[in-house]
Amino acid sequence: MPHRTILLAEETWIAARALGAWLDAGQEVAEVWIGSGSSLGKPLRQPLALAFPDWSVRKIIRRRGIPVHNGPRLRAWPEASARAAALGADSLLNLLGLQIIPKPLLDHFAGRAINVHPALLPRYRGPCPRLAMLVDGRDAEAGGVCMHLLSEAIDEGAILGDRSVPFPASGGYSEWDARLADAAADLIRAAAIPYLDGRLRPYPQDESLASYRKPVPGELDIGPTTSLAHARRLVETLGRVGRLVCTPTADASRRRSFHVTAIDRTLGEPTGQPARVTWRAVELDLVDARVRLRRRGFDERVRELGHAISALRRRTRLPTHA
């Protein structure tokens, strides 16, 4: 008999590939639960979803005719367990969903609530582990996907399996995202289903390796309080990811941020002059230097789109013709 799960997910490649693997293995989704703030309840802003529907959670849900329940946050929904029982769900699958699962719902599924985490637990528990490990330069040891049981404590449940996926040498963030998605799909087949079948035993996390890391406000931001050494570290790790921001003034009334990708030049000592912003660069004083940062322009966006298309095309089965 197939397993019948309640699905919590966000619109990500990792969630889409894991969901596809679950369905392709003959398993069922009783219902998708969407709470307030979920990306699945917002307009689809992924143009690649039209060309690569297998990489979109929403496209998969619509194509397979999976029912969706748009309800309250789980903490404010005491009837959630009763609804899961009425739907005949024997498990809960959280694919990068952002809600905390309340204890009554965990008790209802009694060790059959599974989570996907984009880091090798127990390292980098908590939200945004990928950006945090890039800033720390620890993607080689912590980059990957972990499948584990949900528990009352965040990201501390027993592990079903994991796959190491460091940041790639080429292809950028899109290639990393696609490799993580492939790893999540593999764990659905190799860990989640065997566990629910009773063929795989989970193992506890090694607390000696545990860390909880959440980027703090401003940590991914280059500005007047940033040292040159830290700015160099940020552009080396996040400049090619497209997530790095420069906020050239500390004046709250004039704060405006710009995406940047590299340090074009170190111009010397701080000058005390205000920041200078052009369509292609931001020149500003750091704590110990004045620098010119390259703004993320049209060419970088095209390059990132090209990387994304290439990553998906390599992993998409094209139809065969007789």
Side-chain angles (χ1 to χ4, degrees):
M1 292 289 291
H3 299 290
R4 187 170 169 83
T5 198
I6 295 295
L7 176 67
L8 307 174
E10 293 295 316
E11 184 60 272
T12 66
W13 289 358
I14 292 175
R17 294 306 271 178
L19 173 58
W22 175 266
L23 296 170
D24 289 346
Q27 311 305 313
E28 298 177 354
V29 174
E31 197 166 60
V32 182
W33 288 355
I34 300 176
S36 60
S38 170
S39 60
L40 294 181
K42 300 176 182 179
L44 185 60
R45 300 185 184 277
Q46 291 190 0
L48 291 178
L50 296 175
F52 302 96
D54 289 342
W55 292 78
S56 166
V57 175
R58 202 164 335 184
K59 291 289 186 180
I60 294 172
I61 289 171
R62 290 175 180 172
R63 188 175 63 222
R64 302 280 190 131
I66 299 172
V68 175
H69 178 75
N70 199 333
R73 304 283 294 180
L74 293 178
R75 290 188 184 185
W77 189 21
E79 301 83 10
S81 297
R83 186 176 184 90
L87 291 168
D90 68 354
S91 58
L92 183 145
L93 187 58
N94 187 45
L95 303 178
L96 301 192
L98 302 178
Q99 296 195 62
I100 301 297
I101 314 302
K103 186 177 185 301
L105 196 56
L106 292 176
D107 291 343
H108 171 79
F109 284 108
R112 296 176 68 83
I114 296 172
N115 185 56
V116 169
H117 185 74
L120 297 181
L121 293 173
R123 303 172 181 88
Y124 288 90
R125 292 168 175 166
C128 305
R130 286 185 282 175
L131 290 181
M133 72 178 70
L134 286 178
V135 172
D136 295 344
R138 299 184 63 187
D139 60 286
E141 64 180 88
V145 177
C146 181
M147 187 161 285
H148 68 102
L149 299 181
L150 284 161
S151 63
E152 289 186 70
I154 296 175
D155 297 329
E156 294 187 16
I159 293 174
L160 305 181
D162 58 28
R163 298 290 184 271
S164 175
V165 187
F167 195 91
S170 62
Y173 201 85
S174 293
E175 176 64 22
W176 196 28
D177 214 10
R179 292 185 185 183
L180 290 166
D182 285 344
D186 183 48
L187 285 171
I188 288 288
R189 295 183 290 262
I193 295 173
Y195 168 73
L196 293 173
D197 286 345
R199 297 182 284 113
L200 183 147
R201 180 174 297 178
Y203 56 92
Q205 297 188 27
D206 182 351
E207 290 299 320
S208 69
L209 301 175
S211 63
Y212 183 94
R213 179 76 159 81
K214 180 180 181 180
V216 299
E219 187 178 15
L220 308 182
D221 190 336
I222 297 176
T225 61
T226 308
S227 69
L228 178 59
H230 186 57
R232 282 176 172 158
R233 180 172 184 79
L234 288 176
V235 297
E236 288 170 0
T237 56
L238 299 179
R240 56 183 174 148
V241 175
R243 306 293 180 88
L244 185 58
V245 169
C246 170
T247 305
T249 177
D251 185 345
S253 65
R254 297 189 297 117
R255 285 181 69 86
R256 187 181 175 196
S257 296
F258 306 89
H259 285 280
V260 293
T261 60
I263 298 177
D264 274 342
R265 287 184 62 187
T266 300
L267 302 173
E269 298 295 321
T271 64
Q273 298 298 312
R276 180 172 174 266
V277 179
T278 68
W279 69 276
R280 200 68 185 92
V282 180
E283 184 180 307
L284 78 158
D285 282 352
L286 303 179
V287 170
D288 51 357
R290 189 167 181 89
V291 298
R292 182 179 297 128
L293 303 173
R294 186 186 312 154
R295 289 182 61 180
R296 178 172 173 257
F298 179 74
D299 52 344
E300 281 90 358
R301 290 181 174 88
V302 171
R303 189 179 302 114
E304 290 163 14
L305 179 61
H307 287 160
I309 292 173
S310 296
L312 298 189
R313 288 186 65 182
R314 284 195 296 272
R315 294 167 171 83
T316 300
R317 293 173 297 189
L318 298 177
T320 56
H321 300 281

